[in-house]
Structures are given as C-alpha cells and as structure tokens.
Amino acid sequence: MSDAAATAARAAAQLDRLSRWHPAEYVFWALAAASLLVFPSRYLLISDIALTGLFALSLDLVLGYAGILTLGHGAFFGLGAYVAGIAATHGLRDPLLGMALACAAAALLGAATSLLVLRGSDLTRLMVTLGVAAVLLEVANRLPALTGGADGLQGMDVGPVLGLLPFDLAGRTAAVYSLATLFAVFLIVRRIVHSPFGWSLRAVRANPLRAASIGIAVDARLSVAYTIGAAIAGIAGALLAQTTQFVSLDGLAFHRSADVLLVLVIGGVGWLYGGLIGAVLFKLMQDQLATITPQYWEFWIGLVLVALVLIGRERLAAWPRALWRRVAGRQPA
Amino acid sequence: MTAIVALETVGLCRSFGALRAASDVSLRLMPGARHALIGPNGAGKTTLINLLTGVLRPSAGRVMLQGADVTALRPDERARRGLVRTFQINQLFPEMTPLETVGLAVSHRLGGDRQAWRRLGGRPDVVEEAAAILERFRLDDVMDRRVGALPYGRQRLLEVALAIACAPRVLLLDEPAAGVPESERDDILAAVDALPSDVAVLLIEHDMDLVFRFARRISVLVGGALLTEGTPDEIAADPRVREVYLGEAAHG
Amino acid sequence: MLTVLFDGIAYGMVLFILACGLAVTLGLMNLVNLAHGAFAMAGGYAAAIMVNRWGVPFLAALPLAFLFAALLGLVLERLLYAHVYARPHLDQVLFSIGLVFMAVALVDYTQGSQQQFIQLPAFLRLRFQIAGVSVGAYRLLIIAVCAAVALSLQLILSYTRFGSRLRAAVDDPRVARGLGINVSLIFAVTFAVGSGLAGLGGALGAEILGLDPTFPLKFMIYFLIVVTVGGTASIGGAFLASLVLGIADVAGKYYIPAFGAFAIYAVMIGVLIWRPQGLFGRVATR
C-alpha cells in the first residue's frame, strides 16, 4: 500500500470513529427502555424525564454546538405545548399530528426570531431571547379565549398514539410515547452533529471569522441551527401537553428557560448526552427536594447553579463523561 | 491561458475617521501571479486584506474577482468563489483535529449545503483529498491531535493547509511564515509552489528574504497608497523603496 | 398628555438609577450580572422595613437603602463575583440566575409573597399644577434625585482619577496592574456603588414599580434593554435609553392598554433592527 493510500485509510478510520456508536450508548438506551419495565409505578416521572431530556437536547444544539447563548428557549417549548394543546381541544385528536403542528409552529417562530438573535453580541442575544419569551407569555396571557389564560388550557382530548395506544391514567403510553419520540429525535440530532453541517457549527462557534473565510455562511448556519433547536423544543412542549393533558402559562415562564440551562450544564454542554443525563439527575433531584420544600424548590436550583459555576462546570461535568469512559472503555467523541 | 484577470481592485479607498487607511489602491493579479505586497508597519496592508476579503467595506472603489464585481459580497461568498486567505495570527478551531478541520473545508467545498445527511468523512473523495493535503504539509502524523495542543509551527502549517483545502483561485497569504522555524518555512513555500500554476498568489510579508525568493512582481504600499510596482530587481533598485525601509529602520 | 410624559420621565429616571450600575459592570467590566435586580430588591425591602416597621423617615431611608445594597454588593463581590469575572458569559449567566433564584426564594420565605408598599410622608403625596400639568411631589423627588445621580456619575467617570483608573482597569487589567492600579479594589468599589444605586432605585421606585419577591425577574429584561439599547460608550447612552424606555412603557400602557405591555419590546426590536450595536456606541463584546 502506498503512503498516500495508507494516510487516506487512517483518515477514513479516524473519521469513522467520530460517529460510530459506542457500547455505552447502547447501554444507555437499553437502560432507558428497561426503566419502563423496572419502575412501572413511575411512568409519569419517566415521561417527564424523557421530554425534559429532549428539551435539553434541543438546547444543546443551539448552545453547545452553535454557541448561541439563550435565555428564552422556553418560548419554543411553551409554544409547542400550546399548539399541541389547542389542536387537541379543537378536535385534532391525533397526537402525532398535534406534535407535527407544534414542531412547525416552533420552527416558524425560531426562524423568524433567529434573524434578531444573529445580530450583535452575547448580551444582545440574552436580551432578545428573553424578550421573545416574555412577549409570548404576554400574548398567551392576553388571549384567554384561545389559551385559557391564567387558568390554563383545559379540555384536551388526545387520541391514541398511531390509533393503537390510548393514553392511560398510569402513564404507560405517555412514558413509551415520550421515550420513543426522544429516541427518534435523538437519532436525527446525532446524525446532524456528525454531518459536515454539524461540524461547520462547531467551527462557527470556535471562530466565526475563520469559518467565514473557508466559505461557511455563518449567519445562515446559526439561523438554521437555531430553527432546528426551536423545532425540537416545540416537540418537547407537545409531549408535555399531550402526556399531562394540560397546558398553563407556566410552560412559557422564565424558569423553564433557566431550568433547561441547568439541566444541560449538569450533564455537560456539547456532547448530546449531557442534556439526557442532566434530565435524569435534575428530575430525580426535583422529585426528592420538592417533597421536602415544594414552594422553595427554586432556592435549591439557584444554589446548585451558583455552586456549579464556583466549583467549575468542567470539573463537575467531567464526571458523567468519566463514568461514560469507564463504561465505554474509551473517550466519547 | 485565460486572459481574465484573477483579482483586480479599482480605486479602492477606506478611511477610519480622518485616517485614510487605503487610498485609491488599484492592484491587478493575473492567473498564476506570484505577487508580493510589502510596506512598512502601518502602511495599510491589513486594511487592504480586509477590503479584499470583504471583512471591511470600501468607502469607494471596487473589487473584481475573475472578472466579476464582488464588492458587495460577504467574506464567505468570496471564499466560495475562490478568494481565500490565511491569517497573520492563527485563526483555527482549537478543539478540532487537523483532519476534522481540513476535512470540513474539503467536504464543504465539494458537497455544498446538500449533505446534512452524510456524516463527515462519508465520502471517499473528501477523505482522500483531506489526507493528501495533510500529507503535503507533513501534518499526517498529528492529524488526530487537538489543534490547540499542536506546536506553533504546526499550527502555522495548518493555517496554510486549511486555505489550500478551499481550492483557491486567488490565495492571499498574510505573513504565512511569521514565527515559523526555518525548516518549516520551506514546507510552506513548497506547498505554495505546488499549487496549480493558474492560481494567483498574493503574499503579504515582512521577511524580504522570503519575498524575493517567492515573488515575480512586488507592490509597495506606503501610507495606504501604492508607491510603486515592479519586478524584484526593479524594486530592489528603487531608491524610493530603499528610503521607505531605511527611513523606518532609522526610526525604529 | 404632558402628565403621561411626566410620569414616563419619572419612570425612566427610576429605571436609569436601577440600571446604571449594570451599565458599568456589564458594559464596562463585561460581567453579565443578571442578579442586578436582586440588589434593587434588597434596597427596596430594606427601605420598606425601615420606614414601615422601625419608623425611619422616608428621606433618611433612601441613603440607608443605598448603603445596605452597596454593602451587600461589596460582600458578594468579594466572596463570589470576583471568581467569575474571567469566566465565559455562559458561566456568568448561570451563576447570576442562580443568585436571582436564591434571592427570590429567600425574600419569599422571610417576607412573604405579597406586594410591599412603603409609607410615603404626607409632603410627598402632594400634587401641584404646573402650567396645567398635574405633577406629584413624589415623582418630582424621583426626577431630582435621578438627575443628580446621573450628573454626578457622568462627572465622576469622566473627570476624576477614579474614573480614569476604572477605564484603564477595564481596558487592560494587566497593564493597569503594572501601572500600580489596584484593579480588584476598583472593581469591588464599582460593583458596590452600582449595587448601592440599584438599592436606591429599588427604594425610590418601589411605589412606581411595585415591590414583591419576583422583582429581579420582572425587571431583568428592562435592565438588559437599557444597557444594550443605550450602548456602553457613556452614562448618557444608558440615561437616554432609560428615558425612551420609561416613556414608551408608560405611554403604551396608557394609550393602548391592551397592547401596552408590548411597547418596550417594540422599542427593543426596532432599535435592534435599526442599530444592532445599540443607540449610542458599541456594545462590549468578547
């Protein structure tokens, strides 16, 4: 074999490794599926974890890969929840149809607002994302005929998934539905981040000047990433609406956006599994703490955030990855 | 050979407040040109590069790339049309490996925007070309390391390799050898020499040794304006150029 | 019409006092401190407790509220904020949101979730007729105090040695240290004064803005708009941005109540489209 061919073969192998499934990934998803069998009494929690993980995954695409600092990601989640909820109160019973509508609405809003987000610095982005979410909350508040206003949206009628699985009180369908959706969307996102498009996002985040000078249309890339992130957040919102059969203004509140940031950083930013692991930890913690001091739950979130930063995000987020390495036997990409 | 001018500027001007960083610069590079741009510090070389690549908009004048007016185009659009640059200070992606970096550029150029569904490295032609470029710059032994962890000289080579991965029609080299050890300088020059002969190269450089080894024509920029242009021999013999450089040396 | 304008100016003035500290810490020191409103809330609650429970005169409570918030700012700066100056913006965002959540929960726990009112002395409840405009003494006081603060800030930053040292420390902390400037002291003092002013604003504006535990969250976006829209080139930018915002908000709520709440967002989006770097000069970027 010639030198050039040998180098090319090594290069191909190295690039192959980037997107290959690690054994730990199989373990992760096997555990997720097994949780349905092992904890039949916690279906609702499993569903909640899955949709939170999906929400955090969408933020990872926006923040972790594209590097867009946002405080208003909850807007897309809340919009998705309302669209799916309103669809279900207006006779559109099919959950997948409701989810598609929610996804489309969130994508539209994401595409429209991405034009504002592209402008300026981190600071402008914080302001715009916060502003968009605040406007949406205000709109939902002012249209009680459509959204139920402060009382929340009631009277949703969600049909069976695929016409086969009706939602049950124990939440078994909800858990299966949420987990399956999470897995399907995860596969798509995984594909995206390993594509040249995904790599161009990393390049833009690392150095927009250089990315542009190798021909990458920086603004267009960020805009597309933001829109995809918004669409996925909309799906997560639809899951919340359909599995709990209720939507309230809470879905659009600021703490949604802040919580999902925390979820993502607990597990680590920019490696796909951060949001999922973060969701597990966050929801378990919430489950425990909320039973002790339900109304002051936000205090503990605040404490965790402060501690997380002071101790060092990298150091803390290193441990899920370290555990991962131990299971996988090598470093994840 | 085609007669279309590779890169041409027509009366390019740019001021920052009262400072005229570029005034009436008209430059012309034919395909295959090996052109050097020299000038003392503060002569406006960086401004000119930024005007050429579209980072800055000129206050007056035009930039023509292969006969087409690109003055209104963004940097990435100019890059896709073949106007590619390197940076005086490394502008790389520290968390990526050289292979990922070069692979991204090659795959982006060959695949355009229609490959969101392929994975990086899914196309054999991309992999082969990326590997060939890395080999040409002797970066193949470190192609799986983090760029940020590479020694400075290696990063410098990658800086040029990345530009070449974009298959330039016109290549702007902004002090490519700054801080590079003598041995690796030759690698850079050799790689530039190995470019297809119709690619125009504009070298912006302080190192006169390198300039005279490389260039077939030289332009001298002083105070934002072109002082003169000629062959290396003409420039070396020009008393005005000597005065500019000696004058600078006397002050500095 | 003029009354609305007058109320808008008073409202904008309060916003300025609240946000000017942030304009300096965020704009100049490049610290994304979303918890700025928590210091305002601290000042507001301190004033409410002093006036309502301890019988401190309102006018005396104002400087005390300033001192309380400044001291709180100083302590937190030394203990916590000093560690995050050099961190990425994401860390600063997480950290300061964490502080906001803790502050909200703590105040809710100790003071209850209901809105607080500070009892104003009788002379501040007077109203005058000036050229046909009904003017409240309370709002006059606000405008007077805020104008004085704005003017002295501008003078301090432009003409004193502290101002030039602060600018040097911000431009390049390493060089400034080399010149013998105590950078961390300057940052601490600046942060404390900014927090103190927020506290003063919280005490002064409690009546207009409404004081409850969610205050830091409710006004976070207002502060960000003031800083971003105003740009960071000068105190004047933040001042004008505050006035525009205050007048837009009050006028919007008065004339088109159904959509008044959106007025400030319209201003925000309009400015962003028109001048992405803010109305007055460039926003610091990293």
Side-chain angles (χ1 to χ4, degrees):
Chain A
M1 204 192 269
S2 75
D3 259 12
T7 310
R10 268 202 308 130
Q14 186 190 327
L15 291 175
D16 271 346
R17 258 197 314 276
L18 292 174
S19 55
R20 191 182 303 153
W21 279 76
H22 294 287
E25 291 186 86
Y26 294 113
V27 173
F28 180 90
W29 290 104
L31 286 177
S35 70
L36 290 173
L37 303 172
V38 181
F39 304 108
S41 62
R42 309 307 302 270
Y43 283 141
L44 288 175
L45 182 63
I46 293 171
S47 171
D48 198 16
I49 289 177
L51 71 92
T52 306
L54 184 60
F55 186 24
L57 178 68
S58 72
L59 180 65
D60 202 10
L61 195 62
V62 172
L63 176 67
Y65 287 89
I68 301 172
L69 197 49
T70 165
L71 273 179
H73 205 52
F76 307 116
F77 182 85
L79 179 66
Y82 270 111
V83 168
I86 291 167
T89 54
H90 286 73
L92 298 172
R93 298 182 69 235
D94 184 5
L96 290 180
L97 175 64
M99 180 185 285
L101 289 175
C103 174
L108 265 178
L109 182 68
T113 54
S114 73
L115 301 177
L116 289 171
V117 168
L118 293 181
R119 290 173 166 263
S121 57
D122 278 353
L123 183 57
T124 343
R125 288 174 176 174
L126 287 178
M127 178 185 78
V128 169
T129 52
L130 202 58
V132 169
V135 167
L136 216 59
L137 178 63
E138 197 63 30
V139 170
N141 196 18
R142 303 258 168 149
L143 295 172
L146 197 58
T147 64
D151 298 332
L153 183 71
Q154 278 150 0
M156 283 174 61
D157 176 20
V158 183
V161 179
L162 295 172
L164 297 170
L165 297 168
F167 284 95
D168 52 324
L169 270 180
R172 185 154 166 273
T173 303
V176 173
Y177 177 52
S178 298
L179 263 182
T181 307
L182 170 65
F183 186 61
V185 176
F186 176 84
L187 289 180
I188 297 174
V189 175
R190 195 179 185 284
R191 190 102 204 207
I192 290 175
V193 303
H194 288 119
S195 73
F197 173 80
W199 282 96
S200 71
L201 290 183
R202 294 180 183 83
V204 167
R205 186 194 56 190
N207 192 336
L209 179 68
R210 186 57 189 246
S213 75
I214 61 174
I216 294 170
V218 172
D219 281 4
R221 292 294 154 119
L222 291 180
S223 184
V224 170
Y226 194 72
T227 304
I228 297 175
I232 297 173
I235 295 179
L239 282 180
L240 177 74
Q242 292 168 345
T243 57
T244 61
Q245 315 257 327
F246 179 69
V247 187
S248 70
L249 291 176
D250 186 60
L252 282 165
F254 171 73
H255 75 84
R256 282 274 169 200
S257 304
D259 287 357
V260 73
L261 262 177
L262 175 59
V263 168
L264 180 60
V265 297
I266 292 178
V269 177
W271 70 296
L272 293 184
Y273 283 91
L276 309 189
I277 293 173
V280 175
L281 295 175
F282 181 87
K283 284 295 167 187
L284 290 180
M285 193 167 76
Q286 189 179 41
D287 198 46
Q288 292 304 308
L289 283 175
T291 50
I292 308 170
T293 52
Q295 68 270 50
Y296 304 117
W297 154 242
E298 297 281 314
F299 178 85
W300 300 108
I301 292 193
L303 192 65
V304 171
L305 279 169
V306 170
L308 203 66
V309 172
L310 288 181
I311 296 171
R313 237 174 349 111
E314 300 76 21
R315 234 180 294 169
L316 274 181
W319 79 261
R321 293 196 195 210
L323 193 71
W324 192 265
R325 264 198 295 275
R326 195 168 302 169
V327 178
R330 62 170 168 270
Q331 186 165 2
Chain B
M1 276 269 123
T2 148
I4 293 181
V5 180
L7 178 71
E8 183 174 15
T9 68
V10 184
L12 219 46
C13 295
R14 170 76 197 205
S15 353
F16 299 103
L19 176 73
R20 300 208 65 177
S23 57
D24 201 21
V25 177
S26 295
L27 202 66
R28 181 184 260 250
L29 265 68
M30 297 308 285
R34 295 292 181 267
H35 201 118
L37 182 72
I38 63 172
N41 280 327
K45 297 188 295 267
T46 306
T47 304
L48 185 59
I49 287 213
N50 285 337
L51 289 171
L52 290 177
T53 52
V55 174
L56 287 176
R57 288 285 153 94
S59 348
R62 284 176 302 150
V63 179
M64 315 281 290
L65 183 63
Q66 297 188 296
D69 190 336
V70 296
T71 319
L73 296 188
R74 293 190 310 264
D76 57 287
E77 293 170 318
R78 298 187 194 192
R80 286 200 292 276
R81 288 175 176 228
L83 177 60
V84 183
R85 69 173 293 188
T86 68
F87 290 82
Q88 187 185 341
I89 298 162
N90 285 338
Q91 300 284 344
L92 297 165
F93 314 120
E95 299 302 323
M96 288 162 64
T97 66
L99 176 60
E100 287 157 10
T101 307
V102 173
L104 171 63
V106 173
S107 124
H108 187 71
R109 170 167 55 80
L110 292 180
D113 284 330
R114 295 179 308 279
Q115 39 179 340
W117 278 107
R118 287 179 169 276
R119 60 184 180 79
L120 184 66
R123 284 174 51 162
D125 53 341
V126 170
V127 177
E128 275 161 32
E129 190 176 335
I133 290 171
L134 289 167
E135 201 159 71
R136 201 192 308 165
F137 284 86
R138 302 190 197 177
L139 287 164
D140 47 319
D141 58 327
V142 290
M143 69 185 181
D144 57 351
R145 304 255 196 90
R146 260 185 77 239
V147 168
L150 294 181
Y152 180 79
R154 291 299 189 89
Q155 291 193 29
R156 213 64 207 131
L157 285 170
L158 181 60
E159 180 74 39
V160 181
L162 183 52
I164 284 176
C166 301
R169 307 303 307 154
V170 177
L171 178 62
L172 309 178
L173 295 169
D174 192 357
E175 300 195 23
V180 176
E182 195 59 44
S183 54
E184 287 167 18
R185 263 172 202 230
D186 294 337
D187 290 347
I188 292 180
L189 268 188
V192 173
D193 282 340
L195 283 171
S197 58
D198 59 340
V199 173
V201 181
L202 181 66
L203 172 75
I204 292 93
E205 187 53 76
H206 264 305
D207 184 336
M208 288 304 141
D209 208 33
L210 198 66
V211 167
F212 282 92
R213 265 164 71 195
F214 164 83
R216 279 177 241 143
R217 285 195 80 75
I218 297 176
S219 292
V220 185
L221 196 67
V222 177
L226 282 179
L227 180 72
T228 180
E229 185 189 320
T231 64
D233 290 341
E234 287 164 8
I235 295 296
D238 192 324
R240 289 174 302 168
V241 176
R242 201 169 289 178
E243 187 188 338
V244 165
Y245 274 89
L246 287 180
E248 192 199 26
H251 289 297
Chain C
M1 216 298 283
L2 284 172
T3 311
V4 172
L5 186 67
F6 179 73
D7 283 0
I9 291 175
Y11 189 63
M13 289 280 201
V14 171
L15 282 181
F16 170 73
I17 290 241
L18 284 168
C20 65
L22 190 67
V24 174
T25 48
L26 204 167
L28 290 179
M29 285 149 67
N30 202 5
L31 169 74
V32 180
N33 179 20
L34 298 177
H36 190 72
F39 294 100
M41 178 169 70
Y45 272 92
I49 290 171
M50 282 188 282
V51 173
N52 298 352
R53 293 199 202 151
W54 303 346
V56 178
F58 180 71
L59 290 182
L62 290 180
L64 290 174
F66 171 87
L67 282 180
F68 176 72
L71 203 66
L72 189 67
L74 189 67
V75 170
L76 286 181
E77 199 272 348
R78 285 291 87 197
L79 285 180
L80 302 176
Y81 280 99
H83 301 285
V84 298
Y85 282 131
R87 295 290 192 83
H89 281 163
L90 174 59
D91 276 356
Q92 297 176 351
V93 165
L94 296 169
F95 171 79
S96 54
I97 289 182
L99 285 186
V100 169
F101 280 168
M102 288 167 76
V104 169
L106 272 178
V107 170
D108 195 343
Y109 180 70
T110 56
Q111 307 294 320
S113 61
Q114 73 282 10
Q115 192 174 343
Q116 301 286 322
F117 295 94
I118 301 178
Q119 288 155 14
L120 293 177
F123 68 89
L124 282 180
R125 284 189 237 120
L126 294 175
R127 294 194 79 85
F128 314 98
Q129 292 288 328
I130 301 175
V133 185
S134 171
V135 171
Y138 169 62
R139 285 182 163 78
L140 264 185
L141 174 76
I142 288 178
I143 292 179
V145 171
C146 297
V149 167
L151 201 64
S152 28
L153 269 183
Q154 180 67 28
L155 291 178
I156 289 172
L157 285 178
S158 315
Y159 297 112
T160 63
R161 262 178 57 182
F162 183 84
S164 54
R165 287 180 169 199
L166 174 61
R167 272 178 277 125
V170 167
D171 274 350
D172 194 332
R174 274 184 30 224
V175 171
R177 270 191 207 100
L179 292 172
I181 296 174
N182 188 342
V183 172
S184 51
L185 178 71
I186 293 214
F187 277 14
V189 169
T190 308
F191 190 92
V193 172
S195 308
L197 286 175
L200 175 64
L204 200 55
E207 194 71 16
I208 305 186
L209 303 173
L211 189 62
D212 65 42
T214 62
F215 182 91
L217 289 172
K218 265 195 298 194
F219 287 93
M220 189 186 284
I221 181 83
Y222 284 76
F223 299 155
L224 280 175
I225 293 178
V226 167
V227 178
T228 323
V229 168
T232 54
S234 66
I235 289 294
F239 185 73
L240 286 177
S242 306
L243 283 187
V244 170
L245 197 62
I247 294 169
D249 203 26
V250 170
K253 282 177 181 150
Y254 184 82
Y255 288 113
I256 26 171
F259 294 98
F262 300 111
I264 58 159
Y265 302 112
V267 169
M268 173 185 101
I269 289 170
V271 168
L272 263 181
I273 290 171
W274 178 44
R275 291 282 299 268
Q277 299 300 338
L279 275 181
F280 310 95
R282 301 186 66 83
V283 173
T285 48
R286 181 170 278 185

